């Protein structure tokens, strides 16, 4: 065991022991150490669809481990990898479903994906390359086949009855996003399951449940996981129908308790919330940044409104939706909060499908994602323009490594799902050596972002692009003595914009998605930027 693991183990054992102790009021606030995560580029992986090591057509942990060099080869001098700094594994715990969002055992790896030993090997191989690994933690609900639920449902007098949410009648609450029923009948009683009857909600008002979930978190952190993506984070505790089913005071209180617990034992562990809601509600999940830098609740939450705004803006060629979402974020997030922007994920149509496979639009969307503040999350395959729309399985198809083999480099057997349309060009092998490919653009931008303090962690000041220039999004980002000017032209025609009073004497072009972008920095700064082009200049 290396030194990092040994000291982590000691602090975690102390921390586990502390679970049994009532916290004393004078206990100092534990701080998080998340500089590794703030600004880092993350990559979301559906293990079932990424790479299959044993030819059964199902992706697995060993397959993923064999592809780590594609994600980051650990050598900063090479530019042939994507250079992502962290991966998010969609659910890997045991589960009866393909997607895994209905856990049956929080302490076991889905046997289709491998074993705990495979998980340990993946972590070791990832960490050797400087890749952190966060895992999906699905705790709002379990599978209805989880032994906890089976026991709870066995009798109203079961000692675990209160681990789930039961009542004698159906009060008729609907899913808060305007869907179906949430109370499910069983043996003359009703249990709450906000997603569906196969996913009964755990009762987070029950102290034993809260303790059990903390133990699950401790187990994976002790194994070396670097944090969690928190599924359905705003749904934990309900106080009544409609608005009272989400974002409740009890839910916030639990996340504060959970985050404090995690910070104490594993201050470097990241928690990223799936709070699929409006900017003002997402802002609440950071808690206060006054006592804990980054927030005393969840240090990151995905920015769903921004994803919608980026796609809408790129589709229409009008940057206004992005400008207004960024203004809302600046107004509503607590100071020092770290955003988590993304374009699409396993629940939303893929970018290439949303934007109609127009290469220029895909480039603009990627450049926006990778130049905005926060920690960008890329959904596997997005970097090669993988297509896929609803229903969900079509958004989660096998990774197209090549178009030569029937298994596409994903498997030597028969893929568990067919590949998406468009594999002839939307594949890694086709794009890897082409400097003009989408994949090459992702690689260059991620490398640039990682090496630029301003792009990785800088502040953002959105510039007024001027009347009639709604197709432009221009901003300055600044950190660590570096200042960059970023201009995205979402339209198809060239634009000259400025002058901006940026007190710059020099503008050095660092990156442009098309030729012909120029900036004049003597006196006020002005830029000329071709249609469908994103450009980055370093200002001196
Ligand atoms: C949100 C996840 O992203 C989704 O895929 C899942 O089905 C639900 N939560 C329930 O876990």
């Amino acid at each position: 065991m290396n030194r990092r693991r040994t000291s982590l183990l000691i602090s975690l054992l102390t921390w586990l022991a502390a679970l049994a102790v009532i916290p004393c009021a004078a206990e100092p606030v534990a701080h998080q150490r998340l500089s590794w995560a703030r600004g880092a580029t993350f990559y979301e992986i559906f293990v079932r669809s990424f790479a299959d090591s044993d030819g059964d057509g199902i992706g697995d942990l060993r397959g993923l481990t064999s592809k780590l060099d594609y994600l980051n080869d650990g050598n900063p001098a090479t530019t042939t990898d994507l250079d992502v700094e962290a991966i998010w594994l969609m659910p890997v715990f045991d589960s009866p479903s393909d997607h895994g969002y209905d856990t049956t055992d929080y302490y076991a790896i889905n046997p289709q994906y491998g074993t705990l030993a495979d998980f340990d090997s993946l972590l070791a191989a990832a960490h050797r390359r400087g890749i952190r690994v966060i895992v999906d933690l699905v705790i709002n609900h379990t599978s209805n086949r989880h032994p906890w639920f089976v026991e709870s449902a066995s009798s109203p007098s079961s000692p675990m009855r209160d681990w789930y949410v039961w009542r004698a009648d159906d009060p008729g609450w609907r899913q808060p996003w305007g869907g179906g029923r949430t109370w499910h009948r069983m043996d003359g009683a009703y249990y709450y399951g906000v997603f569906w009857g196969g996913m009964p909600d755990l009762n987070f008002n029950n102290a034993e449940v809260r303790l059990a979930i903390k133990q699950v978190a401790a187990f994976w952190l002790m194994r070396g996981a670097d944090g969690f993506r928190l599924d359905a984070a705003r749904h934990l505790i309900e106080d009544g129908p409609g608005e009272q089913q989400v974002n409740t005071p009890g839910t916030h209180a639990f996340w504060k308790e959970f985050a404090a617990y995690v910070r104490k034992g594993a201050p470097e562990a990241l928690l990223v919330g799936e709070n699929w809601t409006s900017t003002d509600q997402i802002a609440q999940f950071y808690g206060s940044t006054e006592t804990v830098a980054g927030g005393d609740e969840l240090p990151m939450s995905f920015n769903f409104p921004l994803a919608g705004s980026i796609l809408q803006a790129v589709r229409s060629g009008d940057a206004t939706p992005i400008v207004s979402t960024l203004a809302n974020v600046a107004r509503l997030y607590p100071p020092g909060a770290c955003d988590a922007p993304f374009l699409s994920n396993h629940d939303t149509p893929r970018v290439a499908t949303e934007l109609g496979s127009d290469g220029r639009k895909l480039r603009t969307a990627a450049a926006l994602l990778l130049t905005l503040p926060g920690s960008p999350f890329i959904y596997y395959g997005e970097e090669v323009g993988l297509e896929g729309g609803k229903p969900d399985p079509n958004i989660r198809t096998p990774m197209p490594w090549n178009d030569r083999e029937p298994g596409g480099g994903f498997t030597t057997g028969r893929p568990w799902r067919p590949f998406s349309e468009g594999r002839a060009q939307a594949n890694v092998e086709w794009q890897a050596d082409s400097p003009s490919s989408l994949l090459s653009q992702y690689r260059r931008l991620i490398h640039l972002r990682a090496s630029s303090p301003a792009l990785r962690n800088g502040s953002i000041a959105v510039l007024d692009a001027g009347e009639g220039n709604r197709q432009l999004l221009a901003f300055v980002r600044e950190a660590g003595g570096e200042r960059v000017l970023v201009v995205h032209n979402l339209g198809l025609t060239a634009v000259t914009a400025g002058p901006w009073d940026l007190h710059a004497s020099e503008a050095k072009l660092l990156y442009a998605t098309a030729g012909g972008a120029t900036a004049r920095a003597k006196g006020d700064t002005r830029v000329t930027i071709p249609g469908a082009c994103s450009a980055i200049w370093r200002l001196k």
Side-chain angles (χ1 to χ4, degrees):
M1 202 184 294
N2 64 28
R3 229 185 305 143
R4 179 170 177 249
R5 295 269 312 248
T6 314
S7 70
L8 190 66
L9 191 61
I10 293 168
S11 77
L12 284 161
L13 285 173
T14 323
W15 166 52
L16 264 187
L19 268 175
V21 181
I22 297 164
C24 100
E27 203 174 348
V29 176
H31 288 277
Q32 46 207 4
R33 290 203 299 268
L34 289 177
S35 53
W36 69 267
R38 294 176 71 94
T41 303
F42 283 69
Y43 189 89
E44 176 189 356
I45 295 175
F46 185 35
V47 173
R48 183 173 297 274
S49 279
F50 199 63
D52 169 25
S53 70
D54 56 11
D56 66 358
I58 295 174
D60 48 46
L61 295 177
R62 286 179 180 217
L64 164 56
T65 306
S66 74
K67 295 291 188 186
L68 286 177
D69 281 345
Y70 167 77
L71 299 173
N72 186 336
D73 63 12
N75 179 353
T78 58
T79 52
T80 46
D81 54 353
L82 260 182
D83 208 25
V84 298
E85 293 170 63
I87 55 180
W88 149 24
L89 305 184
M90 283 170 62
V92 292
F93 307 161
D94 208 359
S95 156
S97 67
D98 287 344
H99 51 73
Y101 283 100
D102 44 353
T103 311
T104 42
D105 186 346
Y106 286 101
Y107 293 96
I109 295 290
N110 180 337
Q112 292 181 321
Y113 293 170
T115 61
L116 279 170
D118 294 334
F119 181 80
D120 293 342
S121 306
L122 167 66
L123 283 188
H127 289 161
R128 269 201 303 279
R129 291 166 173 80
I131 305 174
R132 304 271 188 154
V133 182
I134 65 168
V135 296
D136 224 311
L137 189 63
V138 187
I139 58 172
N140 172 68
H141 48 267
T142 64
S143 164
N144 60 350
R145 299 190 213 167
H146 193 294
W148 295 345
F149 184 74
V150 173
E151 169 58 42
S152 177
S154 65
S155 153
S157 58
S158 159
M160 294 185 85
R161 187 66 165 181
D162 190 48
W163 278 47
Y164 292 82
V165 186
W166 293 92
R167 59 187 281 163
D169 60 338
D170 176 1
W173 309 357
R174 316 292 298 193
Q175 289 169 318
W177 53 89
R181 310 183 80 83
T182 56
W183 291 90
H184 310 277
R185 191 179 162 85
M186 191 170 183
D187 297 335
Y190 292 83
Y191 64 89
Y192 186 76
V194 73
F195 290 97
W196 72 292
M199 293 178 172
D201 275 41
L202 280 164
N203 177 11
F204 277 86
N205 285 317
N206 180 313
E208 287 174 354
V209 168
R210 296 202 300 272
L211 179 60
I213 292 302
K214 287 180 196 165
Q215 284 168 336
V216 168
F219 175 81
W220 292 99
L221 293 173
M222 272 201 272
R223 285 205 100 83
D226 297 291
F228 303 107
R229 178 262 185 189
L230 303 168
D231 185 67
R234 71 194 189 107
H235 293 283
L236 297 196
I237 293 178
E238 311 62 47
D239 292 339
E243 288 300 304
Q244 299 171 80
Q245 280 164 269
V246 284
N247 313 329
T248 58
T251 296
H252 285 291
F254 171 75
W255 285 127
K256 284 199 171 76
E257 177 185 328
F258 182 79
Y261 171 74
V262 168
R263 276 200 310 274
K264 186 166 181 185
E268 290 193 19
L270 175 66
L271 303 176
V272 193
E274 185 212 20
N275 292 302
W276 195 336
T277 180
S278 55
T279 305
D280 59 323
Q281 297 286 345
I282 296 172
Q284 309 282 317
F285 282 90
Y286 287 92
S288 164
T289 51
E290 276 167 26
T291 44
V292 177
D296 67 352
E297 199 169 317
L298 303 182
M300 260 189 224
S301 273
F302 295 111
N303 196 332
F304 283 87
L306 186 59
S309 299
I310 294 175
L311 294 178
Q312 189 192 341
V314 175
R315 203 183 294 113
S316 65
D318 177 348
T320 315
I322 306 177
V323 175
S324 81
T325 304
L326 290 177
N328 287 342
V329 167
R331 187 166 52 85
L332 296 164
Y333 282 23
C338 182
D339 202 356
F342 68 100
L343 299 174
S344 75
N345 70 17
H346 62 283
D347 288 326
T348 64
R350 281 186 173 275
V351 182
T353 297
E354 280 283 311
L355 299 179
S357 297
D358 180 336
R360 292 171 306 181
K361 291 188 192 275
L362 296 186
R363 277 180 177 64
T364 301
L368 283 159
L369 173 70
L370 296 169
T371 54
L372 285 171
S375 303
F377 279 71
I378 297 165
Y379 183 41
Y380 81 95
E382 205 163 87
E383 73 277 20
V384 294
L386 180 54
E387 294 176 28
K390 292 278 183 180
D392 290 345
N394 295 344
I395 304 171
R396 306 170 185 172
T397 56
M399 179 74 175
W401 296 98
N402 69 47
D403 191 37
R404 266 183 301 116
E405 301 164 290
F410 161 71
T411 180
T412 53
R414 191 158 166 264
W416 76 281
R417 292 277 305 180
F419 289 94
S420 291
E421 295 288 311
R423 179 159 66 110
Q425 296 191 355
N427 75 74
V428 173
E429 190 177 79
W430 176 265
Q431 298 189 20
D433 298 324
S434 158
S436 62
S437 69
L438 185 62
L439 175 58
S440 295
Q441 184 193 319
Y442 267 91
R443 285 174 172 165
R444 282 201 300 273
L445 272 171
I446 298 169
H447 276 89
L448 177 61
R449 186 186 169 89
S451 65
S452 158
L455 284 176
R456 196 178 193 280
N457 284 122
S459 57
I460 182 166
V462 177
L463 301 175
D464 182 357
E467 257 326 291
N469 279 344
R470 292 161 75 113
Q471 70 200 77
L472 283 199
L473 176 69
F475 50 84
V476 172
R477 301 200 53 205
E478 186 167 2
E482 187 196 26
R483 199 156 56 116
V484 296
L485 168 64
V486 182
V487 183
H488 300 279
N489 184 351
L490 278 54
L492 298 178
T493 53
V495 173
T496 295
W500 296 300
D501 184 12
L502 300 178
H503 305 286
S505 55
E506 189 192 319
K508 180 173 180 251
L509 187 67
L510 297 182
Y511 183 84
T513 49
T518 58
R520 200 200 66 188
K522 298 270 181 290
D524 291 342
T525 303
R526 271 175 206 274
V527 300
T528 298
I529 182 149
C533 178
S534 295
I536 306 169
W537 291 271
R538 183 176 289 132
L539 300 178
K540 286 256 169 64

